[in-house]
Amino acid sequence: MDLKSALLRIGEFDSLTYDHGAHKTISRLKLLVSPSRRPHGWKHEDDDIGRQVFSMRRLKKNQVEIIEDNGHLGCGFIPKSLLVEVLGKSEDVKKASVGSMRGFAIQVRIIGPSSVGIAKGVLVVKDGIDKIQVPTSMVKVKKSKTQPLHDDIVLNVQKCFPWEAHRHMSRIINDHLKDPPSKAQMKTLKKPCDDVMRVLLCKGVDGDILQRYEEDFKEQTKFNHASLIGVIDPTGLIPSGKVFIPGMGNKTPSRVFVTRVRV
């Protein structure tokens, strides 16, 4: 079997266009070899987690469904029970289970030759569902129109959110949380990326102010920014056009600048 025929059994690769350059096709091919993450807290001698070293699961076709996109922008839903099954006894699940797991999310790659095709994006926990819901905006390569390689669906977990840097930042910003992060943990936090700085400059912020903020951040004397993972509202209760930013305690400012950054 030649390479083209093999790829067409996974997804409709011949439907990809070059409107945005050949690199788009290459980026779609890379989704097939995306790395998986090892569950945080994994130990070699722990058989239960040892079988999930790379957080990759083979699911049945009826465990995933495609839904219409309604402002999802690459974010779908996963039931709590299935998330716990996928991540096993990892530290990620232990920390998330302290609360309702609302807002807990995973960055994924999904490959389902006969049903999904190839999808990428984020899945956030949602109550009241019994299967993964993938909006059309997550689908990057349509399902195979030839003889699909198999009927199952492969779920590949790349990252879990919130991650450690998010927790460190929340312990700085939220005055309701005790036990501030150590100096070593503070060093894991990153300054605003160059894209954000350029956006602020274009919005009229003085360059000297931005430079001073970078210096203050480096000296760990000022923290007025955070890099977050944005997800769609799984409750349906947040009004249209609004953004809910949790974890700021009494320090919630009157105005917040929000911008999207490609990672």
Side-chain angles (χ1 to χ4, degrees):
M1 181 182 295
D2 59 86
L3 178 59
K4 178 180 178 181
S5 298
L7 288 173
L8 290 177
R9 293 189 64 189
I10 300 174
E12 195 181 355
F13 278 94
D14 55 358
S15 68
L16 298 178
T17 65
Y18 287 83
D19 293 343
H20 297 92
H23 67 281
K24 275 295 181 184
T25 300
I26 297 174
S27 67
R28 301 311 182 224
L29 288 170
K30 286 182 177 179
L31 296 177
L32 295 174
V33 291
S34 297
S36 300
R37 77 181 304 280
R38 175 176 293 181
H40 182 63
W42 174 83
K43 296 179 181 179
H44 188 272
E45 63 271 17
D46 192 331
D47 290 336
D48 287 339
I49 302 179
R51 290 194 294 268
Q52 306 175 48
V53 175
F54 296 107
S55 289
M56 187 177 288
R57 274 303 181 94
R58 201 177 183 103
L59 306 175
K60 296 298 182 182
K61 193 173 181 178
N62 62 3
Q63 290 181 284
V64 180
E65 66 177 348
I66 302 293
I67 61 175
E68 288 300 315
D69 198 274
N70 184 22
H72 291 75
L73 295 176
C75 180
F77 303 112
I78 183 171
K80 177 181 176 179
S81 57
L82 184 53
L83 179 68
V84 172
E85 179 185 330
V86 169
L87 295 182
K89 297 178 181 179
S90 66
E91 290 296 321
D92 296 310
V93 169
K94 289 179 182 178
K95 290 178 180 178
S97 297
V98 173
S100 64
M101 293 187 78
R102 181 173 293 173
F104 191 88
I106 53 176
Q107 182 180 348
V108 299
R109 303 290 186 261
I110 301 174
I111 303 173
S114 68
S115 56
V116 177
I118 302 176
K120 62 172 287 191
V122 174
L123 299 176
V124 63
V125 173
K126 182 179 181 179
D127 297 329
I129 59 174
D130 59 3
K131 60 183 66 177
I132 292 174
Q133 296 180 335
V134 177
T136 52
S137 59
M138 285 183 63
V139 179
K140 304 305 177 183
V141 181
K142 296 179 181 179
K143 65 182 180 181
S144 173
K145 284 188 175 181
T146 60
Q147 182 181 4
L149 186 62
H150 55 73
D151 284 331
D152 291 341
I153 295 174
V154 176
L155 176 69
N156 177 8
V157 181
Q158 289 199 295
K159 294 180 181 178
C160 294
F161 305 101
W163 58 18
E164 288 305 306
H166 295 153
R167 295 189 176 95
H168 299 335
M169 182 60 77
S170 68
R171 284 156 58 193
I172 295 172
I173 296 175
N174 191 343
D175 48 14
H176 291 306
L177 298 178
K178 299 179 180 180
D179 186 24
S182 64
K183 288 186 177 180
Q185 292 171 334
M186 298 273 277
K187 289 182 179 179
T188 64
L189 304 177
K190 298 180 180 180
K191 69 180 183 67
C193 68
D194 292 340
D195 285 347
V196 171
M197 290 302 202
R198 281 192 285 267
V199 170
L200 291 172
L201 278 171
C202 291
K203 290 294 183 180
V205 180
D206 188 275
D208 290 338
I209 294 177
L210 295 178
Q211 183 177 354
R212 194 178 312 123
Y213 178 75
E214 284 195 62
E215 293 171 355
D216 290 342
F217 178 80
K218 187 176 181 180
E219 296 297 325
Q220 300 184 2
T221 59
K222 184 174 290 187
F223 297 90
N224 290 337
H225 79 279
S227 298
L228 311 173
I229 178 71
V231 298
I232 190 170
D233 172 25
T235 67
L237 299 177
I238 300 177
S240 177
K242 302 291 184 180
V243 177
F244 176 62
I245 306 177
M248 298 188 73
N250 295 326
K251 294 182 179 178
T252 305
S254 58
R255 300 177 67 185
V256 177
F257 178 76
V258 179
T259 187
R260 185 178 180 181
V261 179
R262 180 174 295 184
V263 294

